[in-house]
Amino acid sequence: MGRKVEKSEEEWKRELDAEQYRVLREKGTEAPFTGKHYETRMAGTYVCAGCGKELFVSGDKFDSGCGWPSFARPAGEVEERRDLSQGMVRTEVLCPDCGGHLGHVFEDGPKPTGLRYCINSASLKFRPRE
Ligand code: FE
C-alpha cells in the first residue's frame, strides 16, 4: 500500500531531528511532561512534523494530566492500528499520509467522544491561528 508521502530512511534522518525521527519513524515515546506542546494552549492547528498534514486542532486539546498533548478527536482522517507491543493492548495512531507514529488513543477521554488521543509533541508542529 503506497502512501502519499514516501521517503527513504536516509531522507527522513536528514529532514527530521533525532527526537522526531525516533518517535515518528521508530515508534518511540517522548518522556512525559517534556514535550514542547504539552502545555500549548494557543489557538491553531497541529500538523504532522513529518509531512505537514493537518492532524489536530487546538479546540479539541484538553488537559489530561497524562504528560502528553491530548486531544478529544482528530481534525480529519488518521490511521489507527492495533498495537500489541510492550505487553499491552493499545491502539496506535499514525499519520495517514506519511505513516509516521503519532501516539496512541485511549478510551478514557472526556465526553462526548470519550477518547484521548495521546500524542507525542515530537510528532507535531504547531501553526498558530493567524
Ligand atoms: Fe505525516
Side-chain angles (χ1 to χ4, degrees):
M1 184 189 82
R3 298 214 179 252
K4 266 186 205 167
V5 178
E6 292 198 36
K7 295 181 186 184
S8 68
E9 290 313 301
E10 289 66 35
E11 286 175 294
W12 285 123
K13 266 184 191 158
R14 201 161 53 231
E15 292 177 15
L16 301 173
D17 69 30
E19 180 73 346
Q20 289 169 333
Y21 183 85
R22 189 179 74 82
V23 174
L24 282 165
R25 307 312 309 177
E26 299 184 320
K27 303 187 188 300
T29 300
E30 69 199 11
F33 304 102
T34 64
K36 71 177 168 190
H37 296 309
Y38 172 55
E39 294 187 300
T40 300
R41 284 177 175 65
M42 283 188 296
T45 301
Y46 295 84
V47 304
C48 177
C51 72
K53 182 179 176 61
E54 182 176 327
L55 296 170
F56 299 96
V57 295
S58 56
D60 293 322
K61 196 171 188 288
F62 66 96
D63 185 6
S64 67
C66 75
W68 292 276
S70 299
F71 302 88
R73 61 174 70 75
E77 179 204 4
V78 291
E79 187 173 319
E80 298 185 9
R81 189 191 286 175
R82 196 165 142 92
D83 173 13
L84 300 177
S85 69
Q86 308 204 13
M88 292 179 272
V89 180
R90 293 180 294 174
T91 302
E92 181 187 5
V93 183
L94 303 102
C95 173
D97 283 6
C98 72
H101 172 79
L102 305 176
H104 293 85
V105 57
F106 300 96
E107 296 182 348
D108 59 6
K111 289 178 180 176
T113 65
L115 298 175
R116 170 172 59 98
Y117 283 81
C118 182
I119 304 299
N120 292 281
S121 291
S123 301
L124 302 173
K125 275 187 188 160
F126 180 66
R127 302 230 190 287
R129 190 169 293 155
E130 289 164 28

